[in-house]
């Protein structure tokens, strides 16, 4: 699903991208897959940058760093 989100970023369909990243995030959390959880949070941050919402982008980007070592 993350790849679909990335494709929708390229197409400029940011609501669809958010939807796919959120779905992928739910799956990663259920699987306790911190690596993919971090990636999805980071991509959500990127989408919000493109939407001109820096505060929300920073929230997601900061959350994505929690899992980095």
């Amino acid at each position: 699903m993350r790849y679909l989100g990335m494709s929708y970023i390229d197409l400029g369909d940011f609501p669809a991208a958010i939807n796919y990243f959120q779905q992928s995030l739910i799956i990663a959390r259920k699987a306790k897959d911190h690596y993919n959880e971090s990636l999805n949070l980071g991509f959500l941050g990127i989408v919000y940058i493109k939407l001109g919402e820096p505060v929300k982008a920073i929230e997601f980007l900061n959350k994505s760093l929690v899992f980095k070592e």
Side-chain angles (χ1 to χ4, degrees):
M1 294 210 184
R2 185 176 68 242
Y3 295 112
L4 286 169
M6 293 164 60
S7 296
Y8 278 106
I9 287 175
D10 288 341
L11 292 171
D13 188 347
F14 302 125
I18 290 169
N19 180 46
Y20 282 109
F21 289 130
Q22 287 176 334
Q23 289 180 45
S24 187
L25 180 61
I26 290 167
I27 293 167
R29 285 181 172 161
K30 284 183 181 178
K32 296 184 181 0
D33 182 348
H34 298 304
Y35 174 76
N36 281 304
E37 183 175 353
S38 178
L39 285 177
N40 286 299
L41 289 165
F43 280 118
L44 282 165
I46 290 168
V47 173
Y48 283 107
I49 287 170
K50 292 187 173 283
L51 285 170
E53 297 185 40
V55 173
K56 202 162 190 178
I58 289 169
E59 284 179 33
F60 281 106
L61 293 169
N62 280 333
K63 287 178 187 177
S64 77
L65 297 174
V66 171
F67 302 107
K68 304 291 182 189
E69 293 186 25

